[in-house]
Amino acid sequence: MTRHPTDTPQFYLTAPSPCPYLPGRQERKVFTHLVGSRAQVLNDVLTQGGFRRSQNIAYRPACENCRACISIRVRVDDFRWTRSFRRLWKRNADIVGSTSEPAPSSQQYDLFRRYLDARHAHGGMSDMTVLDYAMMVEDTHVETMLVEYRRRGPDTFLNGRGTGPLLAVALTDRLSDGLSMVYSFFDPDAQSRSLGTHLILDHVERARALGLPYVYLGYWVKGSPKMDYKARYQPQDHLGPRGWFPASSPDDDPVD
């Protein structure tokens, strides 16, 4: 049985593989295991240092000739609610997100599969089984939660939960200084709702209610259409060689 040290993290480097964001480039990652009693503290430190979490692994790009992946976080207290954001928030006023422990369900997996088949049919996660999904959700040693989004029901004001079919799910880590959106997916048929945007706006408000200053959105890659949407959430900080710094914001009001 493989044993992973829990007191002093060991870091490893992956072999080169095709970059999923920029054609013709190779990517490498440095990673470590998030296990044991110090996993939460380590996840905090590493996320603030530009790492991302996948199950009990923390990783970040370590490409030899490329620095295109930039860690970003949204500044909650100064968040700019554009006109299009406000319209979208009002459009989805009938949706509520309820939090729970990271426990997988058949409803989640069904929605997850529909999302992958519609949005990422040829991506690296396209062949994930129900067991793979369960591991993604519950294989964690850090403080994390699931947020399930459904329509508001007659008892929502009492129990805080929605009713009806599952519309979206977010797997989110709680850090000392923010919320880190690990992975999210949503109903691909509800295009008019722009649920991906709604989930990020909802996390900004959740972080605000918790008194947390940041929402971590992972990596932004300039020139990658897959990542363009992340530039919309302003103001935000980017992580550079000397630490986090305020990034310049677009001048125009984003359109849904």
Side-chain angles (χ1 to χ4, degrees):
M1 182 176 66
T2 302
R3 293 183 179 274
H4 303 298
T6 59
D7 294 328
T8 303
Q10 303 294 310
F11 291 86
Y12 308 90
L13 188 63
T14 65
S17 61
C19 175
Y21 303 115
L22 299 176
R25 301 196 190 186
Q26 296 284 302
E27 72 165 358
R28 300 188 77 178
K29 294 186 177 74
V30 60
F31 70 94
T32 190
H33 297 274
L34 294 170
V35 294
S37 60
R38 298 186 61 192
Q40 178 65 30
V41 173
L42 184 60
N43 190 44
D44 244 53
V45 172
L46 292 180
T47 303
Q48 293 163 7
F51 280 70
R52 294 288 286 166
R53 184 180 73 82
S54 177
Q55 296 178 220
N56 61 8
I57 298 291
Y59 68 90
R60 69 168 297 171
C63 307
E64 295 178 359
N65 301 309
C66 181
R67 298 292 182 269
C69 291
I70 300 174
S71 296
I72 66 172
R73 65 188 186 189
V74 178
R75 299 207 303 272
V76 170
D77 289 343
D78 303 320
F79 184 71
R80 182 160 62 95
W81 279 86
T82 64
R83 291 189 298 274
S84 59
F85 284 162
R86 293 184 185 280
R87 288 196 299 269
L88 175 61
W89 190 253
K90 183 177 180 180
R91 188 186 313 157
N92 289 323
D94 61 332
I95 295 177
V96 61
S98 59
T99 61
S100 65
E101 295 296 315
S105 70
S106 58
Q107 276 193 340
Q108 293 167 20
Y109 182 71
D110 289 345
L111 181 61
F112 176 69
R113 279 261 45 106
R114 288 176 54 214
Y115 171 79
L116 289 182
D117 292 344
R119 295 293 189 99
H120 306 286
H122 303 291
M125 303 174 72
S126 60
D127 60 351
M128 286 181 64
T129 66
V130 64
L131 180 59
D132 295 328
Y133 174 77
M135 292 294 289
M136 182 179 77
V137 171
E138 65 186 4
D139 187 11
T140 176
H141 291 247
V142 305
E143 185 178 352
T144 190
M145 62 183 177
L146 274 178
V147 188
E148 294 188 336
Y149 295 83
R150 290 181 169 86
R151 290 178 182 271
R152 294 182 182 274
D155 297 327
T156 297
F157 73 101
L158 293 175
N159 58 27
R161 298 184 179 278
T163 187
L166 191 59
L167 295 174
V169 176
L171 180 64
T172 303
D173 287 352
R174 169 76 181 266
L175 308 174
S176 63
D177 67 347
L179 298 177
S180 176
M181 298 185 70
V182 176
Y183 193 76
S184 60
F185 53 95
F186 47 85
D187 184 349
D189 295 329
Q191 296 185 19
S192 63
R193 287 188 176 274
S194 298
L195 289 170
T197 300
H198 179 75
L199 265 59
I200 295 177
L201 297 178
D202 182 66
H203 275 68
V204 168
E205 291 307 295
R206 287 176 182 275
R208 191 193 311 278
L210 292 168
L212 299 173
Y214 304 113
V215 173
Y216 288 82
L217 294 183
Y219 302 117
W220 171 69
V221 182
K222 186 176 182 179
S224 171
K226 296 180 181 179
M227 295 293 186
D228 283 347
Y229 74 94
K230 293 187 180 182
R232 302 175 61 192
Y233 305 94
Q234 298 289 338
Q236 60 183 229
D237 295 335
H238 289 184
L239 182 61
R242 298 184 179 180
W244 293 94
F245 63 93
S248 58
S249 60
D251 294 329
D252 58 325
D253 182 11
V255 177
D256 289 328

PDB file of all heavy atoms in Angstrom, residues 55-78:
ATOM      1  N   GLN A  55      -9.669  16.251  -6.221  1.00  0.00           N
ATOM      2  CA  GLN A  55      -9.722  15.198  -5.216  1.00  0.00           C
ATOM      3  C   GLN A  55      -8.698  15.505  -4.113  1.00  0.00           C
ATOM      4  O   GLN A  55      -8.732  16.601  -3.545  1.00  0.00           O
ATOM      5  CB  GLN A  55      -9.521  13.830  -5.864  1.00  0.00           C
ATOM      6  CG  GLN A  55     -10.621  13.454  -6.841  1.00  0.00           C
ATOM      7  CD  GLN A  55     -10.402  12.129  -7.512  1.00  0.00           C
ATOM      8  OE1 GLN A  55     -10.670  11.983  -8.694  1.00  0.00           O
ATOM      9  NE2 GLN A  55      -9.921  11.134  -6.798  1.00  0.00           N
ATOM     10  N   ASN A  56      -7.775  14.595  -3.850  1.00  0.00           N
ATOM     11  CA  ASN A  56      -6.790  14.865  -2.795  1.00  0.00           C
ATOM     12  C   ASN A  56      -5.434  15.251  -3.365  1.00  0.00           C
ATOM     13  O   ASN A  56      -4.393  15.035  -2.745  1.00  0.00           O
ATOM     14  CB  ASN A  56      -6.654  13.659  -1.857  1.00  0.00           C
ATOM     15  CG  ASN A  56      -6.167  12.417  -2.584  1.00  0.00           C
ATOM     16  OD1 ASN A  56      -5.796  12.487  -3.752  1.00  0.00           O
ATOM     17  ND2 ASN A  56      -6.159  11.298  -1.886  1.00  0.00           N
ATOM     18  N   ILE A  57      -5.464  15.867  -4.554  1.00  0.00           N
ATOM     19  CA  ILE A  57      -4.254  16.340  -5.219  1.00  0.00           C
ATOM     20  C   ILE A  57      -4.325  17.851  -5.391  1.00  0.00           C
ATOM     21  O   ILE A  57      -5.358  18.393  -5.796  1.00  0.00           O
ATOM     22  CB  ILE A  57      -4.096  15.692  -6.611  1.00  0.00           C
ATOM     23  CG1 ILE A  57      -3.945  14.172  -6.490  1.00  0.00           C
ATOM     24  CG2 ILE A  57      -2.930  16.299  -7.379  1.00  0.00           C
ATOM     25  CD1 ILE A  57      -2.646  13.731  -5.872  1.00  0.00           C
ATOM     26  N   ALA A  58      -3.232  18.540  -5.063  1.00  0.00           N
ATOM     27  CA  ALA A  58      -3.089  19.964  -5.378  1.00  0.00           C
ATOM     28  C   ALA A  58      -2.042  20.093  -6.477  1.00  0.00           C
ATOM     29  O   ALA A  58      -0.976  19.477  -6.398  1.00  0.00           O
ATOM     30  CB  ALA A  58      -2.657  20.749  -4.147  1.00  0.00           C
ATOM     31  N   TYR A  59      -2.320  20.867  -7.503  1.00  0.00           N
ATOM     32  CA  TYR A  59      -1.417  20.957  -8.649  1.00  0.00           C
ATOM     33  C   TYR A  59      -1.376  22.385  -9.184  1.00  0.00           C
ATOM     34  O   TYR A  59      -2.267  23.196  -8.942  1.00  0.00           O
ATOM     35  CB  TYR A  59      -1.897  20.013  -9.763  1.00  0.00           C
ATOM     36  CG  TYR A  59      -3.212  20.446 -10.383  1.00  0.00           C
ATOM     37  CD1 TYR A  59      -3.254  21.295 -11.483  1.00  0.00           C
ATOM     38  CD2 TYR A  59      -4.425  20.031  -9.841  1.00  0.00           C
ATOM     39  CE1 TYR A  59      -4.461  21.714 -12.028  1.00  0.00           C
ATOM     40  CE2 TYR A  59      -5.635  20.445 -10.378  1.00  0.00           C
ATOM     41  CZ  TYR A  59      -5.640  21.281 -11.470  1.00  0.00           C
ATOM     42  OH  TYR A  59      -6.838  21.711 -12.003  1.00  0.00           O
ATOM     43  N   ARG A  60      -0.320  22.669  -9.910  1.00  0.00           N
ATOM     44  CA  ARG A  60      -0.226  23.919 -10.650  1.00  0.00           C
ATOM     45  C   ARG A  60       0.647  23.707 -11.873  1.00  0.00           C
ATOM     46  O   ARG A  60       1.481  22.795 -11.905  1.00  0.00           O
ATOM     47  CB  ARG A  60       0.319  25.051  -9.788  1.00  0.00           C
ATOM     48  CG  ARG A  60       1.768  24.955  -9.381  1.00  0.00           C
ATOM     49  CD  ARG A  60       2.247  26.267  -8.779  1.00  0.00           C
ATOM     50  NE  ARG A  60       2.178  27.338  -9.758  1.00  0.00           N
ATOM     51  CZ  ARG A  60       2.367  28.630  -9.457  1.00  0.00           C
ATOM     52  NH1 ARG A  60       2.604  28.997  -8.213  1.00  0.00           N
ATOM     53  NH2 ARG A  60       2.302  29.546 -10.404  1.00  0.00           N
ATOM     54  N   PRO A  61       0.485  24.529 -12.922  1.00  0.00           N
ATOM     55  CA  PRO A  61       1.301  24.367 -14.129  1.00  0.00           C
ATOM     56  C   PRO A  61       2.783  24.581 -13.821  1.00  0.00           C
ATOM     57  O   PRO A  61       3.159  25.416 -12.995  1.00  0.00           O
ATOM     58  CB  PRO A  61       0.770  25.461 -15.066  1.00  0.00           C
ATOM     59  CG  PRO A  61      -0.602  25.760 -14.564  1.00  0.00           C
ATOM     60  CD  PRO A  61      -0.538  25.580 -13.084  1.00  0.00           C
ATOM     61  N   ALA A  62       3.612  23.795 -14.509  1.00  0.00           N
ATOM     62  CA  ALA A  62       5.069  23.927 -14.386  1.00  0.00           C
ATOM     63  C   ALA A  62       5.681  23.738 -15.764  1.00  0.00           C
ATOM     64  O   ALA A  62       6.623  22.967 -15.945  1.00  0.00           O
ATOM     65  CB  ALA A  62       5.621  22.913 -13.387  1.00  0.00           C
ATOM     66  N   CYS A  63       5.144  24.431 -16.739  1.00  0.00           N
ATOM     67  CA  CYS A  63       5.585  24.286 -18.126  1.00  0.00           C
ATOM     68  C   CYS A  63       6.927  24.986 -18.322  1.00  0.00           C
ATOM     69  O   CYS A  63       7.150  26.079 -17.795  1.00  0.00           O
ATOM     70  CB  CYS A  63       4.531  24.864 -19.064  1.00  0.00           C
ATOM     71  SG  CYS A  63       2.873  24.194 -18.788  1.00  0.00           S
ATOM     72  N   GLU A  64       7.793  24.368 -19.107  1.00  0.00           N
ATOM     73  CA  GLU A  64       9.168  24.858 -19.233  1.00  0.00           C
ATOM     74  C   GLU A  64       9.257  26.167 -20.007  1.00  0.00           C
ATOM     75  O   GLU A  64      10.038  27.040 -19.650  1.00  0.00           O
ATOM     76  CB  GLU A  64      10.031  23.782 -19.902  1.00  0.00           C
ATOM     77  CG  GLU A  64      10.169  22.512 -19.058  1.00  0.00           C
ATOM     78  CD  GLU A  64      10.980  21.444 -19.764  1.00  0.00           C
ATOM     79  OE1 GLU A  64      11.411  21.702 -20.917  1.00  0.00           O
ATOM     80  OE2 GLU A  64      11.177  20.369 -19.177  1.00  0.00           O
ATOM     81  N   ASN A  65       8.471  26.327 -21.063  1.00  0.00           N
ATOM     82  CA  ASN A  65       8.617  27.502 -21.927  1.00  0.00           C
ATOM     83  C   ASN A  65       7.340  28.316 -22.054  1.00  0.00           C
ATOM     84  O   ASN A  65       7.154  29.031 -23.048  1.00  0.00           O
ATOM     85  CB  ASN A  65       9.077  27.055 -23.320  1.00  0.00           C
ATOM     86  CG  ASN A  65      10.397  26.320 -23.288  1.00  0.00           C
ATOM     87  OD1 ASN A  65      11.367  26.813 -22.706  1.00  0.00           O
ATOM     88  ND2 ASN A  65      10.442  25.138 -23.894  1.00  0.00           N
ATOM     89  N   CYS A  66       6.462  28.212 -21.070  1.00  0.00           N
ATOM     90  CA  CYS A  66       5.186  28.918 -21.159  1.00  0.00           C
ATOM     91  C   CYS A  66       4.721  29.330 -19.773  1.00  0.00           C
ATOM     92  O   CYS A  66       4.836  28.553 -18.822  1.00  0.00           O
ATOM     93  CB  CYS A  66       4.143  28.029 -21.825  1.00  0.00           C
ATOM     94  SG  CYS A  66       2.513  28.802 -22.015  1.00  0.00           S
ATOM     95  N   ARG A  67       4.210  30.552 -19.665  1.00  0.00           N
ATOM     96  CA  ARG A  67       3.640  31.061 -18.415  1.00  0.00           C
ATOM     97  C   ARG A  67       2.253  31.644 -18.669  1.00  0.00           C
ATOM     98  O   ARG A  67       1.853  32.630 -18.050  1.00  0.00           O
ATOM     99  CB  ARG A  67       4.560  32.137 -17.801  1.00  0.00           C
ATOM    100  CG  ARG A  67       5.938  31.641 -17.412  1.00  0.00           C
ATOM    101  CD  ARG A  67       5.877  30.663 -16.253  1.00  0.00           C
ATOM    102  NE  ARG A  67       7.202  30.217 -15.833  1.00  0.00           N
ATOM    103  CZ  ARG A  67       7.814  29.150 -16.312  1.00  0.00           C
ATOM    104  NH1 ARG A  67       7.234  28.423 -17.259  1.00  0.00           N
ATOM    105  NH2 ARG A  67       9.016  28.807 -15.887  1.00  0.00           N
ATOM    106  N   ALA A  68       1.523  31.003 -19.603  1.00  0.00           N
ATOM    107  CA  ALA A  68       0.229  31.557 -20.003  1.00  0.00           C
ATOM    108  C   ALA A  68      -0.852  31.378 -18.947  1.00  0.00           C
ATOM    109  O   ALA A  68      -1.783  32.181 -18.875  1.00  0.00           O
ATOM    110  CB  ALA A  68      -0.228  30.921 -21.318  1.00  0.00           C
ATOM    111  N   CYS A  69      -0.762  30.322 -18.120  1.00  0.00           N
ATOM    112  CA  CYS A  69      -1.773  30.086 -17.096  1.00  0.00           C
ATOM    113  C   CYS A  69      -1.561  31.040 -15.925  1.00  0.00           C
ATOM    114  O   CYS A  69      -0.507  31.007 -15.273  1.00  0.00           O
ATOM    115  CB  CYS A  69      -1.707  28.641 -16.598  1.00  0.00           C
ATOM    116  SG  CYS A  69      -2.222  27.421 -17.818  1.00  0.00           S
ATOM    117  N   ILE A  70      -2.543  31.877 -15.660  1.00  0.00           N
ATOM    118  CA  ILE A  70      -2.441  32.877 -14.601  1.00  0.00           C
ATOM    119  C   ILE A  70      -3.539  32.625 -13.569  1.00  0.00           C
ATOM    120  O   ILE A  70      -4.720  32.574 -13.917  1.00  0.00           O
ATOM    121  CB  ILE A  70      -2.578  34.302 -15.160  1.00  0.00           C
ATOM    122  CG1 ILE A  70      -1.453  34.567 -16.177  1.00  0.00           C
ATOM    123  CG2 ILE A  70      -2.558  35.335 -14.049  1.00  0.00           C
ATOM    124  CD1 ILE A  70      -1.594  35.895 -16.890  1.00  0.00           C
ATOM    125  N   SER A  71      -3.148  32.466 -12.321  1.00  0.00           N
ATOM    126  CA  SER A  71      -4.133  32.293 -11.251  1.00  0.00           C
ATOM    127  C   SER A  71      -4.865  33.602 -11.007  1.00  0.00           C
ATOM    128  O   SER A  71      -4.235  34.666 -10.932  1.00  0.00           O
ATOM    129  CB  SER A  71      -3.436  31.843  -9.961  1.00  0.00           C
ATOM    130  OG  SER A  71      -2.846  30.578 -10.121  1.00  0.00           O
ATOM    131  N   ILE A  72      -6.188  33.518 -10.860  1.00  0.00           N
ATOM    132  CA  ILE A  72      -6.976  34.733 -10.638  1.00  0.00           C
ATOM    133  C   ILE A  72      -7.917  34.535  -9.459  1.00  0.00           C
ATOM    134  O   ILE A  72      -8.317  33.426  -9.131  1.00  0.00           O
ATOM    135  CB  ILE A  72      -7.782  35.144 -11.887  1.00  0.00           C
ATOM    136  CG1 ILE A  72      -8.863  34.103 -12.207  1.00  0.00           C
ATOM    137  CG2 ILE A  72      -6.873  35.346 -13.086  1.00  0.00           C
ATOM    138  CD1 ILE A  72      -9.815  34.550 -13.302  1.00  0.00           C
ATOM    139  N   ARG A  73      -8.242  35.652  -8.814  1.00  0.00           N
ATOM    140  CA  ARG A  73      -9.245  35.662  -7.761  1.00  0.00           C
ATOM    141  C   ARG A  73     -10.033  36.961  -7.856  1.00  0.00           C
ATOM    142  O   ARG A  73      -9.486  38.024  -8.190  1.00  0.00           O
ATOM    143  CB  ARG A  73      -8.607  35.513  -6.385  1.00  0.00           C
ATOM    144  CG  ARG A  73      -7.706  36.668  -5.974  1.00  0.00           C
ATOM    145  CD  ARG A  73      -6.962  36.360  -4.680  1.00  0.00           C
ATOM    146  NE  ARG A  73      -6.210  37.526  -4.218  1.00  0.00           N
ATOM    147  CZ  ARG A  73      -5.337  37.502  -3.206  1.00  0.00           C
ATOM    148  NH1 ARG A  73      -5.120  36.369  -2.533  1.00  0.00           N
ATOM    149  NH2 ARG A  73      -4.708  38.605  -2.841  1.00  0.00           N
ATOM    150  N   VAL A  74     -11.314  36.894  -7.581  1.00  0.00           N
ATOM    151  CA  VAL A  74     -12.198  38.058  -7.643  1.00  0.00           C
ATOM    152  C   VAL A  74     -12.212  38.736  -6.282  1.00  0.00           C
ATOM    153  O   VAL A  74     -12.317  38.063  -5.248  1.00  0.00           O
ATOM    154  CB  VAL A  74     -13.624  37.629  -8.033  1.00  0.00           C
ATOM    155  CG1 VAL A  74     -14.566  38.833  -8.046  1.00  0.00           C
ATOM    156  CG2 VAL A  74     -13.613  36.946  -9.395  1.00  0.00           C
ATOM    157  N   ARG A  75     -12.126  40.068  -6.264  1.00  0.00           N
ATOM    158  CA  ARG A  75     -12.177  40.835  -5.016  1.00  0.00           C
ATOM    159  C   ARG A  75     -13.648  41.114  -4.697  1.00  0.00           C
ATOM    160  O   ARG A  75     -14.326  41.884  -5.372  1.00  0.00           O
ATOM    161  CB  ARG A  75     -11.380  42.125  -5.145  1.00  0.00           C
ATOM    162  CG  ARG A  75      -9.906  41.883  -5.444  1.00  0.00           C
ATOM    163  CD  ARG A  75      -9.018  43.014  -4.945  1.00  0.00           C
ATOM    164  NE  ARG A  75      -9.369  44.304  -5.484  1.00  0.00           N
ATOM    165  CZ  ARG A  75      -8.879  44.779  -6.638  1.00  0.00           C
ATOM    166  NH1 ARG A  75      -8.039  44.058  -7.340  1.00  0.00           N
ATOM    167  NH2 ARG A  75      -9.232  45.973  -7.067  1.00  0.00           N
ATOM    168  N   VAL A  76     -14.122  40.484  -3.646  1.00  0.00           N
ATOM    169  CA  VAL A  76     -15.544  40.470  -3.332  1.00  0.00           C
ATOM    170  C   VAL A  76     -16.078  41.840  -2.939  1.00  0.00           C
ATOM    171  O   VAL A  76     -17.115  42.284  -3.448  1.00  0.00           O
ATOM    172  CB  VAL A  76     -15.822  39.445  -2.209  1.00  0.00           C
ATOM    173  CG1 VAL A  76     -17.247  39.575  -1.692  1.00  0.00           C
ATOM    174  CG2 VAL A  76     -15.557  38.030  -2.714  1.00  0.00           C
ATOM    175  N   ASP A  77     -15.404  42.535  -2.045  1.00  0.00           N
ATOM    176  CA  ASP A  77     -15.930  43.800  -1.516  1.00  0.00           C
ATOM    177  C   ASP A  77     -16.066  44.864  -2.596  1.00  0.00           C
ATOM    178  O   ASP A  77     -16.924  45.754  -2.496  1.00  0.00           O
ATOM    179  CB  ASP A  77     -15.025  44.325  -0.400  1.00  0.00           C
ATOM    180  CG  ASP A  77     -15.133  43.489   0.860  1.00  0.00           C
ATOM    181  OD1 ASP A  77     -16.117  42.734   0.976  1.00  0.00           O
ATOM    182  OD2 ASP A  77     -14.228  43.573   1.720  1.00  0.00           O
ATOM    183  N   ASP A  78     -15.244  44.797  -3.642  1.00  0.00           N
ATOM    184  CA  ASP A  78     -15.264  45.798  -4.707  1.00  0.00           C
ATOM    185  C   ASP A  78     -15.921  45.288  -5.976  1.00  0.00           C
ATOM    186  O   ASP A  78     -15.832  45.935  -7.026  1.00  0.00           O
ATOM    187  CB  ASP A  78     -13.834  46.251  -5.029  1.00  0.00           C
ATOM    188  CG  ASP A  78     -13.103  46.799  -3.819  1.00  0.00           C
ATOM    189  OD1 ASP A  78     -13.744  47.505  -3.028  1.00  0.00           O
ATOM    190  OD2 ASP A  78     -11.896  46.516  -3.670  1.00  0.00           O
TER     191      ASP A  78
END
